[in-house]
């Protein structure tokens, strides 16, 4: 990536590349049929959430099993606002924009609450808290069923293709455009956070809280910020998903889905936005591909029934194990690792966000002898000190 | 700064190039929106999914997940019936191909598989999509894309909104009808008793309660308790109903929760008169949950239904088909239901003419000529997309569930007792 426009640097470089990738993705929708465009839109929505999750885990070292619930918050925020606006006679771009913002705000607020608790909790306890959140979701929506309509969820009116594009593109393509646009803004923001001072502080907190605190980093505030930013991204994803499917229900945001987002983040490469994109596409395409395969094999009906739905869970488990054994830094991460051996630590880390910063994955703190490829390439024994030296 | 501007210039050039290629692509590969064929003046109708030898239709249903145990046999039974029809020459010489896709009872999956059916498999119609929450999530999509959405497997009144969803038709007697019929039966046969309700905390419960109040008046229901499917414990609700002195408990429950409610009450030593909607009143299924205690616990258990039952020509035919085309799978209410749906679709397809289109299919259904195979002829009409407005009362005696001859019709908020008019089996169950 560095070889393209080598002299373009800083934020401007990020924005130019974001623009190019967005245009490529939007151009790509012309090559796809409606169903593939729907899958693309879904993947774009997932990308928002996986991107937020990867920032949270890979950068700030906090584990969340509840990102499905944060997406749901975004979805419900979007749906309820959109319905209120429809009743008030508002539609079109205004309705979408306001509802999207409402979804992001709803998820951010929930994320802020979780972050406040998270700053006081560590590792498994935080994971437990977020786990409880996602498990409690169906109960919550059925207790307040007057608002959330229980298991049935909330339906919204759909937004048609704008008049001037009507002849040019199909509805699914339009939805993919919107999803790509939101995902693009979200991930660009995440990349900017990641490569800015905030990202540096998050890394410092992840690597050694005490050292970070000694160096004047407000550890709690950084953790809460990371959680809120991550939640906002997930909320945007949930809102987009609701826009694409015109509905949000607790059944769509189960614990299994939460774990799937985590799998996407880990398979792609923790901390890397490129990895998040790869992971998001994998969790959309793989289950579909497996079902097509299972269908093509002409298996006995009963066996096919049993495989259907369950097969993808199995394959994701196997895939996760293989990736962890062969490329512990994730699919996208390994490229960054290889490059890191050639260039210096800091310049590789300042890359657009397409490199892994998984040199210290959560949980590896207690196992300094477990050598991951990344940690062998590190130039200093305590990277956080180096970061902080830079920061000043 | 010069290097930056040159970089952004090259980026801009790149962007222009992209936009240009996108425009070129538009010309050749923009997918036409489904249903846009009608723009073509030469086209007489939409015959997506119909070839000279086949008609392809699809459904979404839970084959895995929590609801699979109760419902996965429905699509298998329907598939068996279609195989039977195909073996006998099909409908107007076309074989019916029924694509069954698993959604695990999860609306998110439903959205994916239904889009796949419509956009990838290009089905003629979606037939008997199962579940209220699941199907509601694709209602808008199917109607936007003008895909016939036939015989939804749920009794929600959502499917009967011809103005809003002209392509959607229900199959179950809706929960308002069932609630009203049960309440009327209680008022007629057990006057002066206190009638209560235990219902699911969604449209199922809401609509059913509306039905009860249709028959009993706004304050005719003594006590109402609700449960959520995600919580497998109804002890608190049963206790509250007992404390409220209920004598008749009407149930807006799925089979699993019917069994749970009756079992829990029995443990508390409480035996009120139970009355359940057809969705939760299938004796063979309840027997599976309650085991050896079933004949005792369910003696005199009242339910509603609209499908053939007991000693009936249809049931005999269905049993034969089940043995031959469904590997002799357990024969229960789901089997009858699945085959009835399949028959009803075949009848509609036959009525849609030699060269069926989506338009002629909908016309055939709303014409009011369809009979079905139920306790009364189908009630479809231009302004009614509910299949059955008439239901019969069933009862269990010595482990056998059958109609007792009492039948109610619910129309325009009024419940009237009518004579049952079951549709007789003709032509070996092959329509057309």
């Amino acid at each position: 990536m560095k070889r393209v426009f080598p002299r373009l640097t800083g934020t401007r470089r990020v924005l130019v590349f974001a623009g190019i990738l967005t245009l490529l993705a939007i151009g790509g929708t012309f090559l796809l049929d409606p169903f593939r465009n729907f899958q693309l839109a879904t993947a774009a929505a997932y990308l928002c959430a996986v991107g937020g999750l990867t920032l949270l885990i890979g950068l700030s070292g906090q584990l969340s099993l509840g990102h499905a619930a944060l997406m749901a918050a975004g979805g419900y925020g979007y749906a309820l606002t959109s319905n209120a606006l429809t009743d008030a006679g508002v539609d079109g771009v205004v309705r979408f924009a306001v509802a999207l913002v409402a979804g992001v705000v709803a998820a951010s607020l929930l994320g802020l609450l979780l972050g406040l608790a998270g700053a006081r909790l560590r590792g498994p306890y935080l994971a437990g808290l977020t786990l409880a959140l996602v498990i409690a979701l169906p109960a919550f929506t059925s207790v307040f069923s007057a608002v959330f309509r229980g298991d049935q969820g909330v339906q919204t009116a759909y937004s048609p293709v704008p008049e001037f594009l009507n002849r040019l593109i199909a509805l699914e393509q339009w939805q993919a455009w919107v999803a790509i646009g939101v995902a693009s803004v979200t991930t660009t923001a995440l990349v900017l956070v990641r490569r800015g001072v905030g990202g540096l502080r998050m890394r410092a907190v992840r690597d050694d809280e005490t050292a970070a605190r000694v160096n004047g980093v407000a550890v709690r505030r950084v953790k809460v910020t990371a959680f809120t930013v991550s939640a906002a991204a997930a909320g945007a994803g949930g809102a987009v998903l609701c826009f694409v499917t015109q509905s949000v229900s607790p059944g769509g945001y189960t614990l299994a889905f939460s774990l799937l987002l985590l799998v996407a983040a880990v398979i792609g490469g923790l901390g890397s936005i490129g990895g998040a994109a790869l992971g998001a596409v994998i969790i959309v395409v793989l289950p579909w591909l497996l079902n097509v395969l299972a269908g093509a094999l002409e298996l006995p009906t009963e066996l096919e029934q049993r495989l259907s739905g369950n097969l993808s869970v199995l394959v994701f488990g196997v895939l996760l194990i293989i990736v962890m054994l062969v490329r512990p830094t994730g699919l996208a991460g390994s490229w960054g690792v290889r490059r890191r051996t050639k260039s210096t630590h800091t310049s590789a880390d300042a890359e657009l966000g397409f490199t892994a910063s998984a040199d210290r994955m959560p949980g590896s703190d207690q196992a300094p002898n477990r050598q991951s490829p990344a940690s062998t390439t590190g130039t200093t024994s305590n990277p956080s000190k180096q970061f902080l030296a830079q920061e000043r | 700064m010069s290097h930056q501007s040159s970089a952004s210039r090259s980026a801009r050039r790149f962007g222009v190039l992209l936009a240009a290629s996108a425009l070129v692509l538009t010309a050749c590969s923009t997918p036409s929106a489904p249903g846009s064929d009608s723009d073509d003046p030469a086209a007489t109708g939409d015959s997506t999914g119909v070839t000279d030898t086949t008609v392809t239709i699809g459904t979404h249903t839970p084959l895995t997940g929590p609801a699979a145990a109760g419902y996965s046999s429905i699509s298998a039974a329907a598939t068996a019936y279609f195989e039977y029809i195909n073996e006998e020459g099909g409908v107007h010489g076309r074989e019916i191909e029924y694509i069954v896709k698993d959604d695990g009872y999860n609306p998110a999956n439903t959205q994916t598989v239904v889009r796949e059916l419509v956009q990838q498999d290009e089905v003629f119609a979606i037939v008997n999509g199962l579940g209220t929450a699941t199907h509601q999530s694709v209602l808008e999509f199917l109607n936007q894309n003008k895909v016939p959405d036939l015989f939804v497997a749920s009794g929600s009144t959502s499917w009967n909104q011809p103005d809003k969803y002209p392509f959607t038709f229900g199959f179950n007697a809706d929960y308002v009808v069932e609630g009203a019929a049960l309440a009327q039966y209680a008022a007629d046969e057990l006057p002066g008793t206190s009638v209560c309700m235990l219902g699911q905390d969604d449209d199922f419960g809401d609509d059913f309660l509306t039905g009860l109040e249709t028959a009993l008046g706004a304050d005719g229901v003594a006590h109402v308790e609700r449960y959520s499917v995600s919580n497998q414990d109804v002890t608190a609700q049963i206790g509250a109903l007992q404390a409220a002195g209920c004598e008749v408990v009407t149930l807006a429950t799925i089979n699993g929760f019917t069994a749970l409610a009756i079992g829990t009450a029995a443990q508390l030593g409480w035996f009120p008169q139970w009355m359940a909607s057809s969705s939760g009143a299938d004796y063979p299924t309840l027997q599976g949950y309650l085991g050896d205690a079933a004949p005792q616990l369910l003696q005199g258990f009242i339910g509603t239904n609209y499908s053939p039952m007991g000693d009936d020509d249809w049931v005999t035919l269905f049993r034969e088909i089940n043995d031959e085309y469904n590997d002799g799978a357990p024969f229960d209410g789901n089997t009858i239901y699945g085959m009835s749906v399949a028959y009803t679709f075949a009848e509609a397809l036959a009525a849609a003419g030699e060269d069926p289109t989506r338009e002629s299919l909908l016309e055939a259904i709303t014409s009011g000529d369809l009979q079905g195979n139920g306790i009364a002829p189908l009630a479809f009409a231009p302004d009614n997309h509910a299949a059955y407005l008439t239901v019969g009362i069933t009862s269990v005696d010595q482990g056998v569930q059958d109609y007792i001859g009492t039948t109610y019709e619910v129309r325009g908020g009024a419940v009237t007792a009518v004579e049952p008019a079951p549709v007789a089996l003709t032509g070996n169950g092959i329509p057309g």
Side-chain angles (χ1 to χ4, degrees):
Chain A
M1 198 57 80
K2 243 188 142 338
R3 261 163 273 151
V4 192
F5 305 134
R7 275 177 284 181
L8 193 62
T9 54
T11 305
R12 188 180 280 246
R13 182 182 171 84
V14 173
L15 294 180
V16 167
F17 271 91
I20 291 175
L21 288 174
T22 309
L23 278 178
L24 272 176
I26 285 182
T29 61
F30 284 100
L31 301 172
L32 303 175
D33 59 42
F35 180 64
R36 299 263 145 64
N37 271 325
F38 167 72
Q39 287 185 314
L40 181 64
T42 314
Y46 289 178
L47 170 57
C48 298
V50 178
L53 191 59
T54 211
L55 179 103
L56 183 72
I57 302 175
L59 228 54
S60 84
Q62 302 181 90
L63 182 60
S64 166
L65 300 177
H67 260 53
L70 292 168
M71 274 187 95
Y76 278 106
Y78 176 90
L80 295 172
T81 313
S82 169
N83 284 349
L85 289 173
T86 309
D87 290 342
V90 182
D91 61 359
V93 179
V94 180
R95 181 177 67 184
F96 172 74
V98 175
L100 176 67
V101 170
V104 172
V105 168
S108 305
L109 288 177
L110 185 57
L112 179 67
L113 284 177
L114 276 177
L116 286 172
R120 288 161 177 78
L121 297 171
R122 293 187 146 270
Y125 305 104
L126 177 60
L129 175 74
T130 51
L131 184 70
L133 182 76
V134 73
I135 290 177
L137 180 70
F140 184 81
T141 55
S142 78
V143 166
F144 299 99
S145 63
V147 182
F148 300 110
R149 315 237 321 116
D151 287 346
Q152 287 171 129
V154 182
Q155 274 74 40
T156 63
Y158 88 112
S159 306
V161 185
E163 204 64 43
F164 65 99
L165 284 169
N166 213 354
R167 287 258 146 219
L168 204 61
I169 58 174
L171 178 64
E172 284 75 15
Q173 201 174 353
W174 166 243
Q175 291 173 337
W177 284 19
V178 173
I180 289 168
V182 174
S184 156
V185 171
T186 307
T187 48
T188 306
L190 289 175
V191 168
L192 291 178
V193 168
R194 182 187 188 283
R195 62 194 299 288
V197 176
L200 206 58
R201 290 196 176 121
M202 285 178 203
R203 253 166 289 186
V205 168
R206 175 197 67 196
D207 287 339
D208 192 332
E209 277 191 28
T210 312
R213 196 173 288 121
V214 166
N215 281 281
V217 174
V219 171
R220 276 191 185 168
R221 193 185 302 159
V222 169
K223 281 179 145 183
V224 174
T225 308
F227 222 112
T228 313
V229 168
S230 172
V240 166
L241 209 53
C242 183
F243 164 77
V244 172
T245 59
Q246 292 105 50
S247 79
V248 52
S249 59
Y253 296 101
T254 55
L255 175 61
F257 181 62
S258 236
L259 294 177
L260 208 58
L261 293 176
L262 194 60
V263 167
V266 173
I267 289 182
L270 277 174
S272 145
I273 301 295
L278 204 58
V281 170
I282 288 175
I283 58 170
V284 170
V285 172
L286 197 61
W288 167 78
L289 207 61
L290 288 171
N291 274 343
V292 170
L293 264 179
L297 285 178
E298 305 253 329
L299 300 166
T301 325
E302 202 182 327
L303 181 65
E304 197 181 318
Q305 282 196 7
R306 233 171 257 175
L307 285 181
S308 169
N310 294 331
L311 190 61
S312 56
V313 178
L314 178 75
V315 170
F316 275 121
V318 172
L319 191 64
L320 195 60
I321 293 170
I322 292 175
V323 168
M324 285 299 97
L325 286 176
V326 180
R327 292 184 169 184
T329 52
L331 294 177
S334 54
W335 304 328
V337 169
R338 230 176 280 130
R339 197 176 309 115
R340 191 172 299 182
T341 55
K342 279 187 261 166
S343 58
T344 68
H345 192 111
T346 44
S347 71
D349 226 20
E351 274 288 336
L352 250 178
F354 288 86
T355 62
S357 70
D359 41 357
R360 294 285 297 270
M361 277 190 280
S364 66
D365 309 49
Q366 270 68 50
N369 293 331
R370 210 199 74 201
Q371 298 219 325
S372 73
S375 65
T376 57
T377 63
T379 48
T380 60
S381 56
N382 190 348
S384 60
K385 272 186 190 146
Q386 199 187 25
F387 289 135
L388 290 169
Q390 275 178 1
E391 194 186 345
R392 285 207 211 106
Chain B
M1 285 316 275
S2 68
H3 65 273
Q4 284 196 346
S5 60
S6 84
S8 58
R9 210 180 303 137
S10 58
R12 211 175 300 139
R13 232 176 278 146
F14 190 51
V16 171
L17 194 70
L18 262 178
S21 51
L23 276 177
V24 172
L25 285 168
T26 317
C28 58
S29 69
T30 297
S32 66
S36 68
D37 298 346
S38 53
D39 293 348
D40 182 5
T44 50
D46 187 353
S47 59
T48 307
V50 180
T51 70
D52 287 344
T53 53
T54 58
V55 174
T56 307
I57 54 175
T59 194
H60 65 87
T61 194
L63 301 178
T64 55
Y71 295 130
S72 62
S73 54
I74 291 178
S75 55
T79 305
Y81 199 86
F82 286 134
E83 264 172 47
Y84 165 73
I85 289 180
N86 292 343
E87 202 95 322
E88 303 281 318
V91 176
H92 293 310
R94 289 190 188 84
E95 292 198 349
I96 298 169
E97 287 183 6
Y98 193 44
I99 305 177
V100 179
K101 289 214 193 269
D102 178 28
D103 63 8
Y105 215 52
N106 177 342
N109 296 344
T110 311
Q111 283 160 357
T112 308
V113 299
V114 166
R115 276 177 171 79
E116 209 178 339
L117 285 168
V118 170
Q119 293 168 343
Q120 296 276 289
D121 302 322
E122 300 195 327
V123 295
F124 185 48
I126 298 288
V127 177
N128 203 223
L130 194 147
T132 306
T134 48
H135 197 75
Q136 219 146 36
S137 71
V138 292
L139 196 53
E140 194 80 41
F141 169 78
L142 290 173
N143 279 273
Q144 273 162 33
N145 286 276
K146 303 190 167 70
V147 180
D149 175 23
L150 310 182
F151 317 142
V152 182
S154 147
S156 166
T157 44
S158 302
W159 326 129
N160 186 12
Q161 303 182 65
D163 295 335
K164 205 168 163 197
Y165 301 116
F167 291 85
T168 300
F169 296 81
F171 188 76
N172 296 26
D174 63 50
Y175 301 130
V176 175
V177 171
E178 296 198 324
L182 286 175
Q184 192 62 46
Y185 180 75
D188 290 350
E189 302 297 322
L190 304 162
T193 52
S194 136
V195 178
C196 303
M197 166 185 149
L198 171 66
Q200 206 157 290
D201 194 14
D202 56 16
D203 274 2
F204 187 0
D206 291 344
D207 287 348
F208 190 80
L209 183 59
T210 307
L212 293 179
E213 288 173 349
T214 302
L216 299 175
D219 47 3
V221 185
H223 191 85
V224 176
E225 285 289 325
R226 309 294 287 261
Y227 71 90
S228 166
V229 184
S230 43
N231 183 2
Q232 298 270 340
D233 184 355
V234 293
T235 316
Q237 288 92 328
I238 296 298
L241 289 167
Q242 187 180 11
C246 300
E247 290 158 284
V248 175
V249 180
T250 58
L251 299 169
T253 52
I254 53 177
N255 284 313
F257 279 85
T258 306
L260 196 62
I262 293 174
T264 306
Q267 277 170 0
L268 297 173
W270 184 46
F271 302 93
Q273 172 66 53
W274 301 100
M275 296 188 176
S277 91
S278 63
S279 306
D282 183 45
Y283 184 77
T285 309
L286 293 175
Q287 201 176 18
Y289 284 106
L290 294 170
D292 294 340
Q296 233 183 327
L297 288 178
L298 293 173
Q299 179 65 29
F301 173 73
I302 299 292
T304 51
N305 213 322
Y306 42 86
S307 297
M309 189 181 270
D311 188 18
D312 183 287
D313 288 347
W314 287 104
V315 177
T316 312
L317 174 70
F318 289 168
R319 272 186 198 280
E320 284 167 14
I321 295 172
N322 190 53
D323 288 340
E324 199 176 336
Y325 296 93
N326 202 15
D327 300 330
F331 190 86
D332 57 20
N334 284 341
T335 318
I336 296 178
Y337 181 94
M339 292 195 183
S340 299
V341 166
Y343 172 77
T344 309
F345 173 74
E347 193 190 351
L349 186 64
E354 288 281 337
D355 292 304
T357 60
R358 284 174 169 173
E359 290 80 1
S360 71
L361 182 68
L362 294 189
E363 218 167 282
I365 297 170
T366 50
S367 70
D369 295 338
L370 286 195
Q371 295 289 302
N373 66 347
I375 189 165
L378 290 165
F380 290 127
D383 60 347
N384 178 49
H385 284 194
Y388 291 101
L389 297 175
T390 306
V391 290
I393 301 294
T394 66
S395 172
V396 176
D397 186 30
Q398 309 291 325
V400 177
Q401 190 172 34
D402 204 352
Y403 288 112
I404 57 170
T406 310
T407 308
Y408 293 102
E409 187 182 63
V410 183
R411 254 183 217 273
V415 194
T416 41
V418 294
E419 281 299 308
V423 180
L425 173 67
T426 51
N428 291 329
I430 310 287

